[in-house]
Each structure stands twice: as C-alpha cells, then as structure tokens.
Amino acid sequence: MNYTLVIHGAPASSQSCQTALSFARAALNRGHKIARAFFFRDAVHIGSGLTVAPQGEADLHKAWKELAEEHEIDLVICISAALKRGLVDEREARRYDKVSHNIDAPFNFSGLGQLIDGAATSDHVITFGD
Amino acid sequence: MKFCFISSHAPYGSTLARDGIESLLVAASYDMNATVLFMGDGVLQLVAEQEPGELPQKNTGAMLQALEMYGIENILVCREDMLVFGLQAEQLLLKAKQVSRSDIPGIIREQDRVLNF
Amino acid sequence: MKDLIVNNSSIPLDNDGYLVNLGDWNQDVANALALDEQIELRKNHWEIITLIRRFYETFELAPSQRPLVKFVKEQLGEEKGRSIYLMKLFPGSPAKVIARIAGLPRPTNCF
C-alpha cells in the first residue's frame, strides 16, 4: 500500500511529528510505501535546519530527513503555513527580501494542491493532528 | 474521487477551521467530489452573522458562504452536536443537511479519502 | 520591492507586483497597475474589477479561476461568465491579474 501522511503538530511541542515518523517506519518495514509527508500548520517547523535538539533527545528534523533520503519520501512543507511562521527557502527569501533561509532539500515548499494530489494518488491518507 | 473533510473545531480560537476550509476549497478546485461534515465544536462554524473583525481575524463564516461558488454542495452537520449548542437550522449561515451521529460511520464508508481538521 | 508612482505619491509593491497595503488602492492605482500589465482599463474591465472586489468583501477570499467565472456568470450572465471572456480582458492568468489590479491579496500560493 501507498500512503500520504498529513501532519499538523509542532515537532517541539506536540507528539504528532514523532508519531507520524514511527508510523512511517513501521509501514516501510512491512513493505508499504510512504509517497509523501505533507507538513501543515505548526508541523512546518520540522523543515527548519536551524533547530538544535537537546543532547540525548530525538532530532526529528534529522530523522525525517534521513528516512526520506533512504526511502524517497516527498517531504512537502506547506508554503503559506511556513511563510507566516518565519520558515523560508532560498527562493522565497529572495522574493521577500529576507536575510537568510532555513529550509533546504529534501524538504520542499509547495501548496495545498500537493496535499490533495498526494491524498488522491495514494491508497490511503492519514492525518496526524495537533 | 470522493473527499470528505471532517471539521470538528470551533472557529477563531485556533486556525484549524480556517485551514480546513482552505483545504476544502483547494480540493474543489482540483475537481474532487468534496463533502464537508461539521461535527463536535465544528458546528459553531455555521452560526450566522459572525463578526470576528475586531479580533482581528478573517470571517470563516463568510468563506463558507463561498462554498457554492466552488461547486461544493454536500454540506453536512451533525444534528446531535447542534443540539449541544442549542442551535436551530434557521440560525445557520447556510443550508446544511442534518445527519444523525449514527449516520456518520456510513457517510465515512462511502468516501474515498477523509481529512480531519 | 519597488514602488508604483501614482499622482506623485509612491505606492509600495511586493516583489510580485501586488500592493503591500491593500488600503492604498483607488482607481488611479488600478489604472497604473493595469498599465504595468499592458492593459488599458475600459468599461468592461471595470465591471469585472468591481465584481471581484465585491467577491472579496462578501467571502473574504481572493477567488481562484473557477469561482470567479461562476460569480461573474451569476452577476453578469452567460456571455461574460466564461473563462475565455476573462482571458481576453486580462490575458495570462486572469484570476491573478485581476486580483492584482483590483487591489486584492494575491490568491495564495496554496491555491
């Protein structure tokens, strides 16, 4: 089976990015495929390359990045949710005259169309709420 | 493809209601056969004459009135949850089809995809 | 960011050419924005601009193409309520171009 995951909660203050990660690993172990993870609302913070995980605690940004690279998961950060929270990639930083950017590959910016497209083209869509 | 959006949070205290509506509108723009179901605290999104301008926030009630323009006709509301808030059909800002809580599993079963807000 | 000069005052635009402050909009600003799109506004253009502003006031949304067409059809009839009619008046991507000239927010990247 092919899954699209929709994640709403902030990595630092909600369990949702971790739960989605654990689900993704379990599904992959069973031979399923995770086509796309769509980070929406506060979950867009997962994309920031500037987060520092406390020693001895999970680094969710790194964990998602490594899982995506190993299993070719499309990691989409909702652009409108990200911009209002101070998360920008290089292109948007240029467009809005911002001094730096904090989103890099494999995380990529796109719109809600990718949420609908991912849900439509996967066998299942699962929401991990706040 | 049949998409169901289940909206179960009140407007304004958080942006879940608004994020759900925006996702719903995108689904409709992508030619999906979209249904929206308001249940739990989500029924409060349907109360007529909302005026959140002083908050200041966008009026999600006004956005819901655009559903027709986006070709979204399947608008469902949980009857028991309306009663919880003492809401009558004539107090709603649009014509929604009332469904009973016990109908909801069947409604979900008919859908190809379900998203929660 | 660049500025739009209208009647000797300068109106800030974002890097996509949309108004930074929606309150800056008036008919002269609309004419200047239209010229930037190589459009000379005539009666038929204004009819659509007035409508899309009413859409925004009513629904608090900058419409994408389809709801815009449907709204025009409801308000002005079959002949004008067609994509091709809007394309002729506002070439390119009508929903985006009309929103810009009419002083609405850019239809969000998400749409």
Side-chain angles (χ1 to χ4, degrees):
Chain A
M1 290 286 189
N2 206 329
Y3 289 84
T4 281
L5 311 183
V6 184
I7 304 152
H8 287 180
S13 55
S14 148
Q15 182 66 12
S16 106
C17 290
Q18 176 63 58
T19 307
L21 179 72
S22 304
F23 175 87
R25 283 180 177 147
L28 290 162
N29 276 338
R30 295 278 184 99
H32 300 296
K33 188 170 160 44
I34 308 293
R36 177 172 295 155
F38 186 90
F39 296 92
F40 194 17
R41 295 171 51 73
D42 287 344
V44 295
H45 286 284
I46 195 75
S48 172
L50 299 182
T51 48
V52 178
Q55 287 168 298
E57 294 182 30
D59 184 339
L60 282 171
H61 170 82
K62 185 159 164 268
W64 267 106
K65 183 174 181 283
E66 287 171 359
L67 193 72
E69 283 166 350
E70 191 183 338
H71 297 280
E72 295 182 351
I73 304 169
D74 184 19
L75 299 182
V76 178
I77 304 286
C78 175
I79 184 166
S80 61
L83 290 177
K84 57 185 152 191
R85 290 174 174 82
L87 294 142
V88 284
D89 64 3
E90 205 172 356
R91 199 182 68 161
E92 297 302 314
R94 256 200 315 276
R95 180 192 298 208
Y96 294 105
D97 295 324
K98 299 299 177 191
V99 290
S100 65
H101 70 276
N102 49 2
I103 303 278
D104 281 304
F107 295 93
N108 63 86
F109 264 12
S110 199
L112 280 174
Q114 294 298 304
L115 165 61
I116 302 304
D117 169 78
T121 54
S122 302
D123 300 310
H124 292 288
V125 56
I126 302 182
T127 306
F128 296 82
D130 288 350
Chain B
M1 184 174 277
K2 295 180 80 167
F3 262 73
C4 185
F5 289 77
I6 300 181
S7 199
S8 51
H9 287 76
Y12 311 122
S14 89
T15 58
L16 260 171
R18 182 173 167 193
D19 292 338
I21 294 167
E22 290 187 349
S23 306
L24 169 66
L25 297 181
V26 173
S29 301
Y30 273 60
D31 283 331
M32 300 301 169
N33 178 354
T35 293
V36 57
L37 166 63
F38 295 94
M39 58 182 289
D41 291 355
V43 301
L44 293 172
Q45 292 175 47
L46 295 173
V47 174
E49 295 174 40
Q50 300 170 30
E51 288 184 27
E54 294 294 317
L55 292 174
Q57 282 195 38
K58 288 265 190 184
N59 187 336
T60 53
M63 291 182 183
L64 288 176
Q65 276 162 334
L67 295 189
E68 191 205 333
M69 289 295 147
Y70 283 78
I72 300 163
E73 286 160 4
N74 302 318
I75 304 167
L76 313 178
V77 59
C78 175
R79 185 182 301 124
E80 288 91 333
D81 291 333
M82 280 175 67
L83 286 177
V84 167
F85 294 102
L87 281 174
Q88 308 288 327
E90 60 274 15
Q91 292 171 293
L92 304 187
L93 55 85
L94 48 72
K95 211 165 156 33
K97 184 183 170 201
Q98 292 187 29
V99 298
S100 162
R101 204 171 277 160
S102 59
D103 297 333
I104 293 175
I107 291 163
I108 291 174
R109 216 171 298 125
E110 286 170 8
Q111 304 293 324
D112 297 308
R113 301 290 184 271
V114 177
L115 289 165
N116 287 284
F117 286 92
Chain C
M1 294 205 201
K2 57 175 182 173
D3 284 3
L4 186 73
I5 308 296
V6 183
N7 301 335
N8 295 323
S9 61
S10 102
I11 311 283
L13 301 181
D14 70 15
N15 284 349
D16 295 323
Y18 287 74
L19 293 179
V20 171
N21 308 308
L22 299 184
D24 286 341
W25 190 87
N26 59 38
Q27 295 205 351
D28 293 338
V29 170
N31 279 315
L33 287 166
L35 275 184
D36 193 48
E37 301 272 355
Q38 280 142 20
I39 298 168
E40 193 185 332
L41 297 182
R42 297 177 186 283
K43 191 166 151 270
N44 286 340
H45 296 95
W46 280 110
E47 192 173 47
I48 301 298
I49 290 169
T50 309
L51 262 192
I52 201 175
R53 285 184 66 84
R54 196 190 309 158
F55 189 107
Y56 184 67
E57 272 166 33
T58 310
F59 304 122
E60 304 206 14
L61 289 164
S64 55
Q65 179 87 355
R66 191 184 320 171
L68 175 61
V69 170
K70 191 164 177 186
F71 193 62
V72 173
K73 189 171 172 180
E74 256 178 32
Q75 305 285 324
L76 302 176
E78 294 272 347
E79 201 171 313
K80 294 178 176 175
R82 292 185 304 152
S83 294
I84 188 90
Y85 177 76
L86 299 180
M87 293 276 278
K88 273 187 191 149
L89 288 175
F90 301 94
S93 173
K96 282 185 191 168
V97 175
I98 302 168
R100 181 175 176 236
I101 297 174
L104 266 52
R106 179 193 9 243
T108 73
N109 305 44
C110 282
F111 281 69

